[in-house]
Amino acid sequence: MAQEVRGVVAPGKDEPVRIETIVIPDPGPGEAVVDIQACGVCHTDLHYKQGGISDDYPFLLGHEAAGVVESVGEGVTDVAPGDFVILNWRAVCGKCRACRRGRPWYCFDTHNAKQKMTIASTGQELTPALGIGAFAEKTLVAAGQCTKVDPKVSPAVAGLLGCGVMAGIGAAINTGNVGRGDSVAVIGCGGVGDAAIAGAVLAGAVKIIAVDINDRKLQKARTLGATHTVNSKETDPVEAIREITGGFGADVVIDAVGRPETYRQAFYARDLAGTVVLVGVPTPEMKLELPLLDVFGRGGSLKSSWYGDCLPSRDFPMLIDLHLQGRLPLDAFVTETIQLDQVEQAFERMQHGDVLRSVVEF
Ligand code: PAD
Ligand code: ZN
Ligand code: ZN
């Protein structure tokens, strides 16, 4: 029997979000219904609300979530009712050309639930943010979007690994391939950037330079392992990063903002043959201009990081285990826990730079 639950919907471009009654169908073949226990507020949810991702309103927001599988559809064998899971937004297919070449983190055919969730009062079909839609008491996903982890971890902490924190850690350790002794600079110290800093610590980087335009964010970045901080409103970050790295630039620079000016800073703040990782998500109107000769002459690699190039089945349980062993301070990312009807205010606090993550607890 389809169920009705409360969920946070973005009805149209830049309109405030509102709580609606949502209809959740029973899981069909390959699908699962998950009881959401916690879901973080990510900048990507704000991009959806503002129309920066697509025009497929209404959106059911929320995607950094953990919960317990309630029911599964036909043919689902990897997860079962009662399993504690983190939801992921790249359920790999196993069949596309990337998967067949043994590089499933690039999967070109990731899947979501086939059935649609709808708004009870109007019957309108919802587009779930990143194929998840977890600012809701329950949600419907593809079973492959559920990754089992140790249930000893708190749901608020676990959920964050489902998006921004994984994207940041993975930008450093998977995409950037940060190694022992490297110097790393991270531009933008929100949830994603700070996670990149924590990832760089885990990987053994020795110099970790945090860049932001907000001093409070820089203070927080220090607690996560930044060895140097640069306020790029006051100081030229390229000059500062070069100075801190003996005049050369950092081995890996991670742009966790995703704007033309931050990308340009990342491009010029890395050492010759260094790596730039773009993990912040640009909006459709943004354009980048760079002298092609500099692209050639500076060498190295310019990479984008989709979801930290993670493989959820490999990375989620491992990172949760590291956290439970006290080696990865994932709890530092939860600034506050809030109720479902406080998401709009959480967006405001995010825009004012007041929080790393607000997490809705159910
Ligand atoms: P956030 O709003 O928590 O943090 C953004 C940070 O950037 C804040 O600390 C700002 O002060 C800082 N900032 C803003 N402008 C500048 C600037 N010009 N120079 C330096 N710092 C600046 O966002 P978040 O950490 O949740 O997300 C960051 C980006 O990452 C955002 O674009 C989001 O959509 C993207 C993201 N990408 C993936 C992925 O798979 N690639 C996953 C999740 C989030
Ligand atoms: Zn695939
Ligand atoms: Zn996210």
Side-chain angles (χ1 to χ4, degrees):
M1 267 270 289
Q3 310 182 62
E4 294 194 349
V5 302
R6 293 186 321 140
V8 175
V9 170
K13 193 170 164 62
D14 274 332
E15 287 175 43
V17 299
R18 57 176 183 240
I19 302 245
E20 295 274 6
T21 301
I22 309 291
V23 181
I24 313 283
D26 284 341
E31 293 176 343
V33 169
V34 179
D35 249 316
I36 303 300
Q37 294 182 324
C39 182
V41 181
C42 172
H43 208 122
T44 304
D45 293 305
L46 184 59
H47 284 319
Y48 269 108
K49 179 189 133 161
Q50 295 171 332
I53 303 214
S54 82
D55 290 325
D56 300 329
Y57 294 99
F59 294 113
L60 176 59
L61 298 181
H63 59 276
E64 299 192 343
V68 173
V69 176
E70 182 198 74
S71 52
V72 297
E74 204 187 301
V76 173
T77 52
D78 282 352
V79 286
D83 284 346
F84 178 68
V85 296
I86 299 177
L87 299 183
N88 73 72
W89 46 268
R90 287 185 62 81
V92 301
C93 75
K95 293 179 188 146
C96 72
R97 59 199 189 284
C99 284
R100 284 185 188 277
R101 294 174 77 192
R103 303 192 297 198
W105 47 91
Y106 294 137
C107 179
F108 302 131
D109 196 19
T110 59
H111 42 237
N112 302 124
K114 294 225 162 54
Q115 299 183 86
K116 294 287 185 185
M117 294 179 275
T118 52
I119 297 181
S121 59
T122 61
Q124 261 178 308
E125 286 188 353
L126 287 157
T127 307
L130 293 173
I132 292 181
F135 288 146
E137 290 150 335
K138 295 171 199 280
T139 194
L140 176 77
V141 291
Q145 292 182 262
C146 301
T147 309
K148 261 172 28 168
V149 297
D150 191 329
K152 284 203 281 292
V153 65
S154 99
V157 166
L160 296 190
L161 207 53
C163 179
V165 171
M166 183 68 248
I169 294 175
I173 66 178
N174 294 332
T175 316
N177 206 12
V178 172
R180 282 190 298 282
D182 280 355
S183 55
V184 177
V186 176
I187 302 176
C189 300
V192 175
D194 275 358
I197 289 169
V201 172
L202 204 59
V206 288
K207 279 187 182 157
I208 303 175
I209 307 160
V211 180
D212 204 291
I213 50 177
N214 179 331
D215 283 325
R216 271 177 304 160
K217 292 303 186 76
L218 292 171
Q219 271 165 25
K220 178 76 184 177
R222 273 202 189 265
T223 68
L224 283 155
T227 57
H228 299 74
T229 57
V230 177
N231 185 326
S232 55
K233 241 187 188 162
E234 296 156 2
T235 310
D236 177 357
V238 175
E239 288 301 315
I241 291 167
R242 285 196 186 147
E243 200 175 306
I244 294 164
T245 53
F248 301 117
D251 296 308
V252 181
V253 186
I254 297 169
D255 178 1
V257 179
R259 300 184 54 83
E261 63 272 22
T262 51
Y263 193 86
R264 218 173 288 118
Q265 290 162 359
F267 181 82
Y268 286 110
R270 77 196 157 120
D271 196 0
L272 286 175
T275 302
V276 173
V277 176
L278 175 64
V279 63
V281 180
T283 50
E285 77 287 355
M286 292 177 179
K287 298 270 189 293
L288 177 72
E289 209 173 294
L290 281 173
L292 195 54
L293 185 60
D294 285 354
V295 176
F296 175 78
R298 302 188 59 80
S301 53
L302 307 175
K303 301 173 90 175
S304 303
S305 188
W306 303 339
Y307 207 177
D309 289 336
C310 77
L311 188 56
S313 58
R314 174 194 66 190
D315 294 337
F316 289 3
M318 180 253 304
L319 293 170
I320 292 296
D321 288 350
L322 285 171
H323 168 67
L324 290 171
Q325 291 169 13
R327 295 158 70 187
L328 182 63
L330 293 178
D331 43 337
F333 291 87
V334 182
T335 315
E336 58 171 7
T337 54
I338 60 171
Q339 300 296 306
L340 195 59
D341 57 7
Q342 294 173 316
V343 169
E344 188 65 45
Q345 294 94 302
F347 282 142
E348 280 161 32
R349 284 196 290 279
M350 172 192 283
Q351 283 176 296
H352 289 145
D354 298 340
V355 292
L356 219 43
R357 278 295 185 269
S358 307
V359 179
V360 175
E361 277 189 330
F362 294 85

